Amino acid sequence: MIKIILTGVLLATGLLATAQNNLITNIGSRKAVSLNGTWQYIVDPYETGFYDYRYKELREDHPDAYWNTDVPTDRSEKKEHGYTDKYTLQVPGDWNHQKPEFVYYEGTVWYKKNFSYPKTTAGNKYYLYFGAVNYRADVYLNGKKLGMHKGGFTPFNFEVPATLLKETGNFLVVKVDNKRDANEVPTLNTDWWNYGGITRDVKLIEVPQNFIQDYVIQLKRPQPGKAPAKSPLAEGWVKLSQQPAANEMISIEIPELKYKKQVPATAQVTKLSINLPKVQLWSPVQPKLYKVLVSTATDRVEDKIGFRTIEAYGKQVLLNGKPLFMRGISIHGEIPQDVRRAYSEADARQLLGQARELGCNMVRLAHYPHDETTTRLADSLGIVVWSEIPVYWTINFGSAEVLAKSKVQLNEMITRDHNRASVIIWSVGNETPISQTRTNFMKSLITAARELDNTRMISAALEVNYNSGKNLNLIDDPLGEFVDLVAFNEYLGWYGGLPDKCRTTNWGTVYNKPLFVSETGAEGKTGFHADSLTRFSEEYQAWYYREQIAMLKRMPDNYVGISPWVLADFRSPKRNNPLYQEGWNRKGLYDDKGNKKQAFYILQQYYQDIAQKTGK
Ligand code: GCU
């Protein structure tokens, strides 16, 4: 029986979506035309197509603007820019790997795509959807600006006025600028490659006048420490794009459970509280997904949702009320053998397949939201996910606008994936230097995350206090007070000291919370063999893992898992040892060609032993 608590007004409770968010979710279930494929481009490092020679933004109708097409013919020969098939890029895809001159390029590239759109249905609405553009996107259609988005790893959409969309000859231009900036998120300094471009799918979406914009249906956590009931309570909401018509009804259907209920929509957001029939709970051992249909008289979306609960409870992480030990690995969203950003289902299968081969039941998607195919595949494979916004290292924590930008990315990350059973942790950052300003900034992000989603754990990679006392490394980062999962990165034996220092080192935290090692690792270049004291040799990396694992076996009883750094070698402009790195961070357990290093087998054995002991 579905018990509905209707919201006559938009309740300012955490469960309800923030009004300012116009993100359309579950794009795969919408009527859409793909705009992927070959786009023409102009590389524009001086932004000549955007500013005049006095560095003033060009008027929208200025013939020299690179978003304009209908330049008066008498000026066409004077026009000093143009798009031709001589200069093309593939979308989705970063530009760095597509042209040798773009490997290190940081600046503006103008992308242009012509497309036709069949007779539109009167009254329907149209949106241009981008899976991700790194970093800033200014979007124009037929010479009119639709909007601007910042943030390199989260989706966004702009409405296309129906009057602007033509049946033939549409001219879509996107100015992409991946310049790093001290006041952006991430900031100037990162240990990953600054891949620029339209890096994920582009679609033109067609939806009814009033459509299902977003929805969430997740199990409500029962009393702390308890497993969900046999017929568990699910909560959530359905958000329409505008106020409902009179007598508008919303239907929630789960065919496999023979479950269907209609509820009146009395506001733009209708809160749901649903007593589900007996469900098979989602877990890594049994990643059960149900087809869920959400519909109104004019719109219908179909999703696959797994039902489970996750919580930090005392010193443990409980999945469906049972202790979960996370055998993880950190992953960058990169396909090393092609030296490019990952974006496709095949890419997700490669990366998650390698993680499973290592024996993982968890992945830390570092240091930014990965693409939606990855989190949906993790749902299907039964791999729990740590998802993170790139509040990384030395962000400008004193800036209100940087906090606002961080919250936009947090909102987009959570909104896109709040129905993904695999996602159990939202991380608000990584290795941010401790100060009161930083802790206030991060606490504000944690509060925002909880308001958006109170069904998952919140975490961040915290700082370690190495001076707390003899051989005890303590996690007493003040931010630890506000997270659910106390996570930290350590490189004992790589950054300082030798791996045998692990033998006399102990770890602890001042917080009575679960403790998670979010990074540890050492570099090893495949095929470089020497004694174990020789840095960058496979033998050194293998020794590092042997010593680390021996130390991990002595961790305190709130140790709930680890996501070593890193699945595969990845590109970084900071790694310039001419013999062993050459622009690659070599901490991968796989190298950039997919070969396993000696250390892979050591960690794999550790995970096999744990899986045997925990029986999962
Ligand atoms: C840091 C950081 C990673 C980086 C790693 C390393 O902990 O979180 O992004 O790549 O160390 O030094 O390799």
Side-chain angles (χ1 to χ4, degrees):
M1 161 34 188
I2 180 167
K3 186 163 52 66
I4 301 302
I5 303 161
L6 301 183
T7 48
V9 290
L10 187 62
L11 287 182
T13 71
L15 263 177
L16 297 188
T18 48
Q20 78 274 15
N21 181 342
N22 74 339
L23 190 61
I24 302 172
T25 55
N26 193 2
I27 289 298
S29 180
R30 310 294 179 156
K31 181 180 178 188
V33 165
S34 171
L35 295 174
N36 291 349
T38 303
W39 290 49
Q40 294 170 337
Y41 77 87
I42 300 171
V43 59
D44 184 12
Y46 290 17
E47 299 182 272
T48 307
F50 194 76
Y51 297 103
D52 66 18
Y53 79 121
R54 295 296 184 228
Y55 220 67
K56 290 226 173 322
E57 251 186 74
L58 293 168
R59 284 188 335 277
E60 187 168 85
D61 60 356
H62 196 292
D64 294 342
Y66 285 13
W67 56 82
N68 263 332
T69 161
D70 49 358
V71 173
T73 40
D74 68 338
R75 287 186 56 99
S76 58
E77 71 289 350
K78 292 183 194 134
K79 202 167 69 163
E80 297 191 48
H81 75 278
Y83 296 97
T84 76
D85 284 340
K86 182 178 173 189
Y87 298 98
T88 60
L89 286 168
Q90 292 307 305
V91 168
D94 61 270
W95 60 57
N96 309 71
H97 83 284
Q98 296 192 51
K99 306 264 174 195
E101 63 270 30
F102 285 166
V103 168
Y104 278 95
Y105 182 65
E106 294 184 304
T108 286
V109 172
W110 295 84
Y111 285 75
K112 191 269 292 178
K113 180 82 176 174
N114 282 332
F115 68 94
S116 303
Y117 194 74
K119 193 102 189 78
T120 54
T121 312
N124 278 4
K125 300 179 87 167
Y126 304 88
Y127 289 81
L128 272 171
Y129 168 85
F130 295 83
V133 175
N134 190 44
Y135 173 81
R136 170 174 166 152
D138 290 82
V139 179
Y140 306 83
L141 180 67
N142 300 334
K144 297 286 177 230
K145 182 149 195 183
L146 298 184
M148 185 277 283
H149 178 270
K150 282 185 173 181
F153 305 95
T154 45
F156 58 96
N157 39 251
F158 295 127
E159 183 169 2
V160 176
T163 51
L164 185 62
L165 189 59
K166 301 188 286 191
E167 280 198 48
T168 59
N170 292 291
F171 184 92
L172 172 60
V173 172
V174 181
K175 177 185 185 287
V176 179
D177 182 355
N178 76 329
K179 275 196 303 297
R180 288 165 294 119
D181 183 291
N183 291 315
E184 295 300 337
V185 181
T187 183
L188 288 167
N189 192 18
T190 65
D191 190 22
W192 69 77
W193 207 264
N194 179 26
Y195 289 104
I198 303 177
T199 49
R200 295 178 191 165
D201 289 342
V202 182
K203 296 185 175 184
L204 180 67
I205 312 287
E206 182 173 347
V207 287
Q209 186 62 228
N210 189 5
F211 60 95
I212 298 164
Q213 181 182 312
D214 186 14
Y215 54 89
V216 68
I217 303 175
Q218 291 285 289
L219 288 196
K220 176 176 169 49
R221 286 199 277 231
Q223 300 82 342
K226 295 279 181 275
K230 284 267 172 291
S231 297
L233 178 63
E235 285 190 333
W237 40 263
V238 175
K239 180 180 177 186
L240 303 179
S241 55
Q242 57 192 3
Q243 288 297 329
N247 311 320
E248 178 81 75
M249 299 297 281
I250 291 174
S251 164
I252 309 288
E253 186 177 0
I254 309 175
E256 190 179 337
L257 297 176
K258 297 185 178 38
Y259 179 89
K260 179 170 183 172
K261 288 296 169 193
Q262 298 236 319
V263 300
T266 56
Q268 191 176 352
V269 178
T270 301
K271 203 173 168 185
L272 304 175
S273 178
I274 298 177
N275 285 313
L276 290 173
K278 194 169 173 317
V279 294
Q280 228 175 357
L281 296 175
W282 185 94
S283 73
V285 173
Q286 187 180 60
K288 174 67 181 171
L289 298 176
Y290 287 94
K291 185 197 293 186
V292 177
L293 304 168
V294 182
S295 55
T296 63
T298 59
D299 198 12
R300 179 179 188 273
V301 285
E302 178 177 317
D303 209 338
K304 288 199 285 187
I305 296 179
F307 296 107
R308 55 104 188 93
T309 57
I310 189 75
E311 66 175 320
Y313 179 68
K315 296 182 173 182
Q316 293 183 309
V317 166
L318 301 183
L319 177 81
N320 300 327
K322 297 194 191 89
L324 172 73
F325 184 87
M326 291 174 276
R327 310 187 307 271
I329 191 72
S330 293
I331 298 183
H332 260 301
E334 184 183 79
I335 297 301
Q337 73 268 23
D338 300 340
V339 196
R340 63 174 172 83
R341 272 278 169 252
Y343 63 83
S344 68
E345 165 111 18
D347 294 341
R349 287 197 179 284
Q350 170 176 318
L351 298 174
L352 296 186
Q354 290 177 325
R356 273 165 57 107
E357 195 174 353
L358 181 56
C360 299
N361 65 353
M362 182 264 186
V363 289
R364 177 183 178 209
L365 301 184
H367 286 289
Y368 37 77
H370 291 211
D371 64 286
E372 189 172 353
T373 57
T374 298
T375 49
R376 284 186 177 273
L377 182 60
D379 271 10
S380 306
L381 296 179
I383 297 175
V384 293
V385 167
W386 161 310
S387 190
E388 180 165 298
I389 52 172
V391 173
Y392 180 93
W393 289 354
T394 53
I395 291 282
N396 181 357
F397 296 108
S399 158
E401 67 169 59
V402 172
L403 177 59
K405 290 171 188 169
S406 305
K407 286 184 176 177
V408 165
Q409 294 189 33
L410 181 72
N411 192 327
E412 290 167 345
M413 171 177 75
I414 293 177
T415 302
R416 189 196 77 186
D417 283 350
H418 53 202
N419 285 310
R420 303 281 71 78
S422 56
V423 179
I424 62 168
I425 298 162
W426 301 121
S427 167
V428 293
N430 178 73
E431 282 190 359
T432 51
I434 294 175
S435 73
Q436 193 56 58
T437 307
R438 160 269 199 179
T439 302
N440 294 343
F441 182 105
M442 303 298 280
K443 188 179 164 215
S444 176
L445 289 178
I446 291 171
T447 304
R450 291 197 197 289
E451 284 170 359
L452 282 164
D453 178 3
N454 63 8
T455 70
R456 291 176 172 85
M457 294 189 288
I458 311 293
S459 189
L462 305 179
E463 294 294 276
V464 176
N465 175 356
Y466 288 97
N467 308 307
S468 71
K470 193 168 165 17
N471 298 335
L472 173 68
N473 295 334
L474 193 62
I475 291 78
D476 58 4
D477 183 328
L479 191 58
E481 182 185 343
F482 308 106
V483 297
D484 298 307
L485 181 71
V486 173
F488 66 98
N489 301 344
E490 56 89 5
Y491 286 88
L492 202 60
W494 180 256
Y495 292 125
L498 287 174
D500 54 10
K501 184 138 179 45
C502 292
R503 299 174 193 173
T504 56
T505 298
N506 301 294
W507 296 90
T509 177
V510 299
Y511 303 106
N512 178 32
K513 296 180 179 179
L515 190 62
F516 183 80
V517 182
S518 37
E519 283 180 38
T520 186
E523 300 211 24
K525 182 164 168 41
T526 298
F528 171 49
H529 296 293
D531 62 41
S532 57
L533 283 168
T534 303
R535 282 171 74 83
F536 290 106
S537 70
E538 281 199 56
E539 285 74 12
Y540 189 104
Q541 189 188 35
W543 179 34
Y544 179 94
Y545 271 85
R546 270 195 290 277
E547 295 287 356
Q548 282 276 332
I549 288 166
M551 177 178 72
L552 293 170
K553 289 177 180 172
R554 297 186 292 102
M555 288 293 275
D557 60 358
N558 57 340
Y559 167 53
V560 293
I562 180 171
S563 52
W565 191 258
V566 69
L567 180 73
D569 292 352
F570 63 93
R571 293 284 277 156
S572 167
K574 297 172 70 68
R575 305 298 173 169
N576 298 309
N577 176 303
L579 290 180
Y580 307 114
Q581 295 178 318
E582 300 175 277
W584 289 89
N585 182 314
R586 296 285 187 197
K587 295 191 182 70
L589 293 168
Y590 287 87
D591 69 9
D592 53 300
K593 299 281 183 292
N595 303 306
K596 301 179 182 79
K597 302 177 190 174
Q598 289 177 15
F600 172 94
Y601 300 98
I602 295 164
L603 183 64
Q604 186 187 47
Q605 186 58 58
Y606 174 53
Y607 283 172
Q608 282 168 359
D609 296 347
I610 291 172
Q612 242 152 29
K613 224 178 284 168
T614 55
K616 40 184 118 164

